[in-house]
Amino acid sequence: HDSCVMVRRGNQIVLEARTSRGALSAVYHLLEQLGARFPLGRPAEFPHIALERLISVEPSRIEPVFTRRAFASDIMSWSYTEPDRLELHLEHDREFIPWMAQRGINAFSFIRHAADSQVRIDQLTPLLAERGVGAEYGGHVTQLLLPRERFETHADYFPIGADGARMRRGNLCVSNRAAIALVLANAIKYATDYPENTMLHVWGADVEGGAWCRCGGCARMSPQLQYMKIVNAIAETIAKVAGPPVAYLAYHDTLEPDPHLAPRTNVWFEWAPRERCYSHAIDDSSCETNPRYWESLKRYVEMFEGRGHIFEYYADAILFGGIGFATPAIIARDLGVYHALGLRSISCLTFGAFSVMAYPVNLIAFARGTRDLNFNPDSTLADAAAERHPACAADMAMAYRAIEQASKFVLTYGDVMAPRLSGDARSRKRAELREAVAMMRKAIEAAEHVLESARVPLVAAERELWEYGIETLSGIADYLGDTEGAATMKKLEAALRHIRAIEVEFKGNWGLDLERFHQVWLAGFGKRAAD
């Protein structure tokens, strides 16, 4: 849909495309050929165009290798009930959405949770539309399609938990016809109220287990089959009103495909390997973690006859504990193997300004790789440093390379702030974290070299981010070494002072919220230490 052609007819350059989005892509491509630059986090640069440069433009065809290239964010990260916080995020969006379009991203997905009161950020609808970026709404909405207030009068609509009692949380009892009928009615309204929605993401509750029903009628069905029963029913109903395809989320307790899944033809799987290893590519057989995920993906591709989306976490601030990482080589190989499987739709989770500050290399690599699989990850790293820091590119490229090396030592076990390791794996990871800390110190040395001669606010912010990373990883290493719990907790908590020192324009809403997540992570460390 975004393909376009740039041809020369006499003294004219002609841009040809079948869609307005394709035409816009052609314009951006031509401008870049003429010297325009679209840096991440800074305004676009449009130099004076000399006639000879215009004459030298070569004809070309632009055809991105992935059809759907999307970023996704939780709606709650906009803090939309607080005007000041909302405006803070919108300031970021007014720069980020144009950059998305300039770099070829053509979709943005708003992820809704049970606590959310809206499905999108209305202020962004015109900005996305004018830039040719498709809007998608959905997320963990199964709970919302069965309103929780119905529990008081129809507890039988709700799932039975492990204790044998009906529970307000979780999803629904898929053996209850009235519950399914209510879910279908709300799904139809959801689709008709937002006809611009190009994919209906109907996900279950965001928990690792226990959200599906264990009543007599449901217990014989796996979580995957319970979920597919609902997704298929919605897809059948949506098809009658020419609604969009429906996504089945392969995530947590549905990550492994049940062999008896029978998806309708308008159901696509959405594969979300959140706890995979990001120190190795997804198909790397030498990895201890990823082969399981790789096999599950291949089975989903076969079962759904190729109808699938990838949901990746290359800029997930929660997964990475708010620590800055860079994995361009992993992204490059991942995208290649996803494409080789026949998949042409992929998204990447982001957390607003914080992800731009903490994972710029990954965002740029994702945008490049989803258009052209032949992009060079190492030059992408250097280019990211030049985009972000034109006055000190060499020093910051050294810093980014050190962060890339540190990332290889850390990202092997899922949530960085929840190291569920034992035995030899525990001691091995402790040593690896020490190596990561040493590499992050090199990044800080490069940043301090810049700051010795000039006050560069973004460099100062990144230095504080990497200081936070050093202290946090040191604290986790102490925890894995069975250091006295109180001392470990004190070190982890003290690391937050570096996030507090970062200017809000760089850390954004999520950086302000990191304190709240940090308390949850600390509680987890305390509980695991007690166990």
Side-chain angles (χ1 to χ4, degrees):
H1 300 300
D2 294 3
S3 62
C4 53
V5 178
M6 189 164 65
V7 298
R8 182 177 292 282
R9 292 176 183 163
N11 292 326
Q12 295 181 328
I13 296 174
V14 180
L15 308 178
E16 298 178 348
R18 293 184 179 181
T19 65
S20 58
R21 181 180 291 165
L24 188 60
S25 296
V27 171
Y28 287 137
H29 179 74
L30 175 59
L31 288 172
E32 194 165 18
Q33 297 302 304
L34 295 173
R37 293 293 176 260
F38 306 115
L40 175 63
R42 296 193 298 111
E45 301 169 4
F46 300 99
H48 172 73
I49 301 171
L51 179 60
E52 57 270 19
R53 187 158 194 169
L54 193 61
I55 294 172
S56 68
V57 170
E58 294 291 333
S60 59
R61 179 178 182 84
I62 304 97
E63 190 158 4
V65 291
F66 284 86
T67 304
R68 173 179 171 270
R69 308 172 301 280
F71 284 125
S73 291
D74 294 327
I75 303 172
M76 63 175 63
S77 64
W78 271 264
S79 300
Y80 49 81
T81 60
E82 304 174 50
D84 290 345
R85 294 284 300 276
L86 173 59
E87 180 55 32
L88 175 63
H89 204 303
L90 292 176
E91 288 179 12
H92 158 77
D93 299 323
R94 294 182 192 112
E95 289 187 351
F96 189 67
I97 291 174
W99 178 83
M100 286 171 49
Q102 292 155 359
R103 298 292 80 200
I105 300 298
N106 62 7
F108 191 87
S109 182
F110 292 100
I111 302 172
R112 190 175 182 184
H113 290 260
D116 282 305
S117 59
Q118 58 190 64
V119 302
R120 65 186 180 192
I121 302 300
D122 290 334
Q123 294 90 331
L124 300 184
T125 301
L127 185 56
L128 290 167
E130 72 182 20
R131 295 285 180 164
V133 179
E136 300 173 2
Y137 319 130
H140 300 283
V141 299
T142 302
Q143 296 166 298
L144 299 167
L145 297 177
L146 176 60
R148 301 294 104 174
E149 58 266 23
R150 293 294 185 108
F151 188 80
E152 306 304 329
T153 55
H154 293 90
D156 56 319
Y157 289 6
F158 291 77
I160 285 182
D163 60 358
R166 297 280 176 185
M167 55 183 181
R168 185 188 295 268
R169 62 182 181 84
N171 295 306
L172 73 154
C173 176
V174 303
S175 299
N176 189 301
R177 293 183 179 180
I180 292 177
L182 181 57
V183 167
L184 294 182
N186 285 327
I188 281 285
K189 186 175 187 304
Y190 200 73
T192 55
D193 285 352
Y194 304 101
E196 73 275 26
N197 196 2
T198 55
M199 171 63 64
L200 191 60
H201 302 267
V202 181
W203 305 346
D206 190 8
V207 297
E208 291 191 37
W212 294 99
C213 187
R214 305 189 188 196
C215 76
C218 294
R220 56 187 175 82
M221 291 183 281
S222 65
Q224 295 95 319
L225 292 180
Q226 291 189 47
Y227 180 31
M228 182 57 78
K229 182 175 180 178
I230 296 302
V231 170
N232 270 343
I234 292 172
E236 181 179 6
T237 304
I238 291 292
K240 294 175 183 177
V241 295
V246 182
Y248 167 101
L249 184 67
Y251 173 73
H252 286 334
D253 53 0
T254 62
L255 183 70
E256 301 288 347
D258 187 297
H260 299 100
L261 287 178
R264 288 179 53 87
T265 56
N266 62 332
V267 174
W268 292 54
F269 73 83
E270 189 160 13
W271 186 74
R274 189 174 185 274
E275 286 75 33
R276 60 165 283 192
C277 166
Y278 285 96
S279 294
H280 298 88
I282 194 64
D283 68 330
D284 191 334
S285 60
S286 69
C287 179
E288 296 179 358
T289 303
N290 287 346
R292 169 204 167 200
Y293 290 90
W294 179 233
E295 290 304 316
S296 83
L297 175 59
K298 290 190 289 187
R299 292 199 302 273
Y300 268 115
V301 170
E302 181 180 2
M303 195 171 292
F304 280 71
E305 299 179 331
R307 301 186 312 277
H309 307 283
I310 300 294
F311 187 103
E312 267 294 0
Y313 296 87
Y314 302 126
D316 184 349
I318 296 178
L319 177 65
F320 298 150
I323 302 171
F325 293 114
T327 59
I330 300 301
I331 294 171
R333 181 162 162 180
D334 282 354
L335 295 180
V337 298
Y338 291 150
H339 188 271
L341 281 179
L343 299 169
R344 298 295 183 268
S345 173
I346 188 166
S347 59
C348 175
L349 185 64
T350 63
F351 285 83
F354 193 93
S355 287
V356 172
M357 175 184 70
Y359 317 110
V361 175
N362 289 4
L363 293 175
I364 294 170
F366 180 81
R368 287 187 177 186
T370 53
R371 289 187 300 164
D372 180 4
L373 294 176
N374 295 316
F375 84 103
N376 184 303
D378 189 62
S379 63
T380 297
L381 190 149
D383 291 346
E387 282 189 26
R388 303 283 282 158
H389 304 283
C392 50
D395 282 312
M396 296 312 291
M398 290 176 55
Y400 286 1
R401 286 194 174 91
I403 294 301
E404 181 187 27
Q405 291 301 312
S407 304
K408 295 176 182 178
F409 290 112
V410 180
L411 303 176
T412 59
Y413 60 88
D415 286 84
V416 170
M417 300 296 281
R420 300 180 180 89
L421 303 170
S422 59
D424 291 342
R426 195 177 178 101
S427 58
R428 186 167 62 248
K429 177 52 61 179
R430 187 185 184 208
E432 290 172 346
L433 293 179
R434 299 296 190 203
E435 294 284 352
V437 165
M439 296 310 302
M440 283 191 171
R441 291 196 192 284
K442 291 184 177 181
I444 289 174
E445 289 172 6
E448 289 180 341
H449 183 260
V450 172
L451 294 171
E452 285 174 0
S453 56
R455 167 66 182 172
V456 184
L458 177 57
V459 174
E462 288 175 309
R463 180 188 62 183
E464 293 291 352
L465 176 73
W466 300 332
E467 291 278 14
Y468 164 79
I470 283 176
E471 293 191 19
T472 298
L473 294 177
S474 295
I476 297 173
D478 288 350
Y479 163 81
L480 293 175
D482 296 320
T483 298
E484 197 275 320
T488 299
M489 295 301 105
K490 187 175 181 180
K491 178 178 286 189
L492 290 171
E493 192 163 14
L496 269 178
R497 72 185 186 280
H498 296 292
I499 299 297
R500 296 186 189 112
I502 297 173
E503 294 181 20
V504 71
E505 68 174 287
F506 298 121
K507 65 183 176 184
N509 261 355
W510 197 84
L512 294 172
D513 288 336
L514 181 54
E515 301 256 356
R516 175 166 54 86
F517 286 102
H518 213 266
Q519 291 306 310
V520 174
W521 294 330
L522 288 178
F525 275 105
K527 183 177 184 303
R528 287 188 296 274
D531 292 343

